[in-house]
């Protein structure tokens, strides 16, 4: 029988990866992990390809039990990670023996936690990704009693004397502030807001409970379009800050539809999108203007930090004779239905 990871307490948890990159032309949203940085780091800490399937745990408590010895990494929002009654660190690899219970509780200051396993686990794919798509009904949330088939077992890893795990890999851990600062660049319709466009940066906005993975609704002093005329529907990128008629901003996230007809005042940067994936309803955010060069520099710095971490993980695994899994291709994808072409990230 195959080794498995059995879900004991599900809360809100789904199998995720980095999403359907390049499928907007078929009308498919990108979806994927809302906090891409935390998801990438979790997989890298386990020696996996950063695109490998992992678990995205949202807001509520979670517990699971492996049937064989495994190595896990838990990243994302601060939380209490308990393995068989013992507190363990986030943002570092953690060995787990067969039959031990991994509990993740008290998720705070952010919204989502990511759990990766050495070698990952089996998952179904659609158009090259296992990311759930609520519109298509693909990838339902996991429930208590569900089992995920593990691809790789890991021998027990202990310090030979004190039995303390041998990992201090210094993963790039982002801040989880009380008030978030989200970086944006100018959107294609910035000129249509005249002087009111500066309202985006003048005061904080509050995240509505109606927010989800498709987009966030924000209340505050909303900029107003000063030009007249209808907006034609067109492709919109992930991170588009839209200004509909009314008292809210819409910030499109990874589950967004590929076309829309509202003016786009700004676009959240790649690093800002990961931060936005951790914002909880009721929290406040402030927007910060960045040039394209600044946005690219920040993104490259974040990716460089992950690449450096990957090198440290490889060195540690070689020293401890942990065999990192080879990258595996996704399972055959279901064909995409014919749909209008879109454009934008994803």
């Amino acid at each position: 029988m195959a080794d498995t990871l059995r879900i004991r307490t599900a809360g809100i948890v789904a199998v995720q990866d980095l999403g359907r990159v390049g499928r907007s032309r078929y009308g498919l949203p990108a979806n994927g992990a809302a906090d891409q940085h935390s998801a990438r780091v979790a997989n890298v800490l386990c020696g996996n390809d950063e695109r490998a399937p992992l678990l995205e745990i949202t807001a509520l408590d979670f517990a699971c039990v492996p049937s064989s010895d495994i190595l896990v990494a838990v990243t994302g929002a601060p939380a209490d990670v308990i393995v068989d009654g013992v507190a363990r660190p986030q943002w570092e690899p953690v060995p787990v023996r067969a039959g031990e219970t991994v509990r993740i509780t008290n998720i705070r200051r952010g919204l989502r936690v990511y759990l990766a396993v050495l070698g990952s686990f089996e998952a179904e794919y659609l158009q090259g990704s296992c990311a759930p798509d609520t519109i298509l009904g693909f990838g339902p949330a996991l429930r208590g009693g569900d089992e995920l088939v593990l691809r790789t077992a890991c021998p027990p890893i202990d310090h030979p004397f004190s039995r303390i795990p041998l990992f201090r890999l210094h993963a790039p851990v982002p801040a989880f502030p009380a008030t978030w600062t989200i970086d944006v660049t100018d959107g294609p319709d910035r000129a249509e807001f005249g002087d009111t466009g500066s309202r985006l940066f003048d005061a904080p906005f509050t995240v509505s409970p109606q927010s989800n993975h498709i987009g966030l609704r924000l209340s505050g002093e909303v900029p107003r379009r000063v030009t007249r005329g209808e907006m034609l529907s067109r492709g919109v990128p992930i991170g588009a800050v839209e200004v509909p008629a009314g008292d809210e901003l819409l910030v499109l996230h990874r589950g967004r539809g590929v076309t829309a007809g509202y003016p786009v005042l700004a676009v959240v940067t790649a690093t800002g999108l990961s931060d936005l994936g951790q914002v909880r309803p009721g929290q406040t955010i402030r927007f910060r203007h960045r040039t394209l060069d600044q946005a690219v520099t920040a993104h490259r710095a974040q990716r460089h930090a992950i690449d450096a971490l990957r090198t440290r993980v490889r060195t540690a695994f070689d020293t401890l004779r942990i065999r990192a899994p080879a990258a595996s291709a996704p399972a055959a994808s279901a064909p995409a239905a014919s749909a209008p072409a879109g454009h934008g990230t994803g």
Side-chain angles (χ1 to χ4, degrees), residues 70-235:
I70 60 173
L71 191 71
V72 304
V74 179
T75 63
D80 296 333
V81 180
I82 309 295
V83 178
D84 229 37
V86 179
R88 307 309 301 268
Q90 289 181 263
W91 301 89
E92 295 286 358
V94 173
V96 179
R97 298 288 186 93
E100 292 184 335
T101 299
V102 180
R103 299 186 188 279
I104 298 173
T105 62
N106 192 25
I107 297 173
R108 55 196 180 271
R109 288 164 42 200
L111 189 60
R112 295 176 171 93
V113 166
Y114 295 87
L115 186 150
V117 180
L118 172 72
S120 190
F121 38 77
E122 299 296 333
E124 294 185 354
Y125 284 79
L126 172 68
Q127 285 292 304
S129 171
C130 66
D133 188 308
T134 56
I135 303 300
L136 297 179
F138 176 79
L142 297 176
R143 297 176 296 179
D146 286 349
E147 293 186 337
L148 300 171
V149 176
L150 298 169
R151 292 176 177 168
T152 305
C154 180
I157 305 167
D158 287 309
H159 191 284
F161 301 106
S162 62
R163 304 186 69 80
I164 297 174
L166 297 174
F167 295 108
R168 294 294 185 271
L169 294 172
H170 304 291
V173 183
F176 288 84
T179 298
W180 294 81
T181 298
I182 305 298
D183 289 344
V184 299
T185 58
D186 287 336
D189 306 315
R190 170 64 183 85
E192 297 194 15
F193 290 87
D195 293 339
T196 75
S198 63
R199 295 179 187 173
L200 187 66
F201 311 106
D202 291 342
F205 292 84
T206 302
V207 180
S208 163
Q210 282 69 48
S211 302
N212 55 27
H213 69 290
I214 296 174
L216 283 75
R217 295 180 178 271
L218 308 176
S219 60
E221 189 67 21
V222 177
R224 298 298 179 189
R225 185 171 176 237
V226 296
T227 58
R228 297 184 179 276
E230 292 292 326
M231 296 288 301
L232 297 178
S233 292
R234 58 191 169 164

Side-chain angles (χ1 to χ4, degrees), residues 207 211-212 214-218 249-253 276 279 285:
V207 180
S211 302
N212 55 27
I214 296 174
L216 283 75
R217 295 180 178 271
L218 308 176
L249 291 179
L250 298 179
V251 185
L252 304 184
H253 216 283
L276 204 61
V279 178
I285 67 173

